[in-house]
Amino acid sequence: MMPLDSSTFADVSRAAVLTPAMQTIWESMGVGVAVVDGEGICRFMNTIQRRVDGFSRISVVGRHITSLYVPHELECIPTIECLRKGEPILKKAYWYKTTNNYLASTVTDFIPLYDAGRKDGVIAFTIWTGTTAFAEGRKRQPRPPQPKGAAYDFYTFDSIVGQDANLREVIAEARTAAATSSPVMIWGESGTGKEVFAQAIHSESDRRQRPFIPVNCAAIPENLLEGILFGTVKGAYTDAADKPGLFEEADGGTLLFDELNSMPLGLQAKLLRVLQEKRVRRLGSHTEVPVDVRIMSILNEEPLQAVEHGVLRRDLFYRLAVVGISVPPLRERRNDIPLLARMFIDRSELATRPGGPGTVGVNDDVLHMFMHYDWPGNIRELLHVVEGSLALLGDGPEICPACLPRHFREACHATGTTPATVSDIVTQAPTLPAPAAAAGETGDAGLYYDYRNIRKSHVVPLKGCLQKYETQCISNVLRVTGGNVAKAARIMQVTGAGLRYKMKALDISDED
C-alpha cells in the first residue's frame, strides 16, 4: 500500500467532495465527516459528527473552526494544523472540548483538499468517538480552576429535582459517599440521571478541585481502550507516542467508567490490578507510576445481574461497589413529574412568551397522561416529550393533547393511559402514504392502513402494516437511547449494521 502524502490529494477539491451526491454519501456513512474551507470556515458537517460534538441543535455551517472548538493554542486544533501544513494527519487520537460544553475523545483522519494546486480546505473523518455531554442543568456549580485549563461546569445535588421520599434517601446516601474516597457504583435505567449523581458526588467531595474524567466504555474499541486508560510510550505499537493515560490525567481526582458492563473482561482484570496496586504501567513501559484516583462506575442494569450475565467480573464488582447507589426510575416517583415538567418548560427557550418564561402551562388531560404513563425512557424521555410539545405548541397558552408528539400519544393510547376526554385526538391513525397499486389493481380509495377499524370494503396490505410497526418500534427504542444506534441494536438484539440498514429502508432518522 502506498504511503499517504500531500500529493495523494492534490487533485481533490472542496467542490468535488461537497457535491449533492457526495453530501448524501457523507450523511449515510457510519463515521463523522466535516469539511472546512481554506480559511477554516465550516462548510459541511454530517449528522453523526454534529451529534458527537453536541451541535445537533445549532447551525455550524459558516462558522470558523475556532468558534466551535476550544483550543489551548491555535496549533492544538488538528484541522488548522492540517490546513497550514497541507499534509494529511492520519489516526490522530486526542481529547478536545467544544464551545457547546461537550468533551470528546476521537480518532480522526484529517485530509487536505486542493484546487489547482492551491490549498482549498480540509475534510475530516472521525473513525470512533468517546463523548461526554455535559447537558444544561439547573444550578450547576462552576468547576474551580483545573490543571491544563480544562474547565467546565458540574451538576450538584441542587440540580436533582424531586421531593419523592425514595429519591431523597438516595440523595442522602450520595451526599454521605461524597465525604469519602470510597469507590461508588451507580446503577439504574437509561435516562434516570446516573451521571448527574456522579458529578454531584464529585462536586461535593474534597477532590472537586481536581480532574473529573468520564469515559464511555461502550464507545471505545477494545484495542484502543487499554492505551487510553493506561497510556502509551513511543514504540509500543505503530504510531504510538509518549502519552499519559486517563488514570494519570485524573490523578488526585475522579475517573468515571460509564457503561462499565461493556468493558471487555480481559481489561476488567487489568483494571482490578491497578485498583489493588494503585499503580499504572503505560503500554510498552517497564516502569509503574503511582496514581491516586477515585473510581466511580455506572451500569444500566443491576450489578449482580451483570455478574450473573457474565459481563462484569465478580471480584471487580466487590472492589467498585463499596458504595452502591440505585437511582429510581421515574415511574416510581410519579409525584415528581409535575416538578420536572415545570422545570423543563421554564428553562426552554421555546416556552418564552410576552409574559416571560413560565407562562406556558400544562393541560389537565396532559398532566393525567404524564402521571399514568410508565416512562421507559425516564427523565430524558419526559424532557424530549416536553420539548417536542413546545415545538408544536405555537402561540398556545398551555401544552394540550393535540401538540404532544405522536409517538407519545400512541403509546399512551396503547397502554390505556389516555383520558376519555381526549380519546378522539389520541386515537387518530397516522397518515401514511398510499402504496402503489399492483398490476391489475385500481389503486383507488379501497386501500386502507388503519388496521384498528377495518371494514369489509378495506384492503389491508400486510407489508405496509409490518413496516409501520417496525418504524414505531425502532423509533421508540432510538428515542429511549437518545439516538444511539449501537445501544438500540443491543436492546433489539440485532447487529448495528443490520439496524442501520433497516433504518435506511424505512427512512428513519436517528435524530427523530
Side-chain angles (χ1 to χ4, degrees), residues 257-271:
F257 290 105
D258 194 3
E259 298 194 52
L260 177 67
N261 47 333
S262 296
M263 179 182 289
L265 293 177
L267 192 55
Q268 289 185 27
K270 296 180 180 180
L271 174 60

Side-chain angles (χ1 to χ4, degrees), residues 143 145-150 209-211:
R143 183 179 183 179
Q146 297 281 312
K148 303 183 181 181
Q209 296 190 28
R210 301 300 299 166

Side-chain angles (χ1 to χ4, degrees), residues 98-149:
T98 72
T99 54
N100 207 33
N101 214 25
Y102 272 56
L103 183 67
S105 63
T106 69
V107 174
T108 305
D109 288 340
F110 300 88
I111 300 172
L113 303 172
Y114 287 88
D115 185 6
R118 178 181 58 85
K119 294 178 184 177
D120 195 33
V122 171
I123 184 169
F125 299 95
T126 298
I127 304 170
W128 69 267
T129 66
T131 61
T132 301
F134 296 99
E136 294 301 321
R138 190 190 71 165
K139 296 183 180 178
R140 287 189 296 169
Q141 171 179 303
R143 183 179 183 179
Q146 297 281 312
K148 303 183 181 181

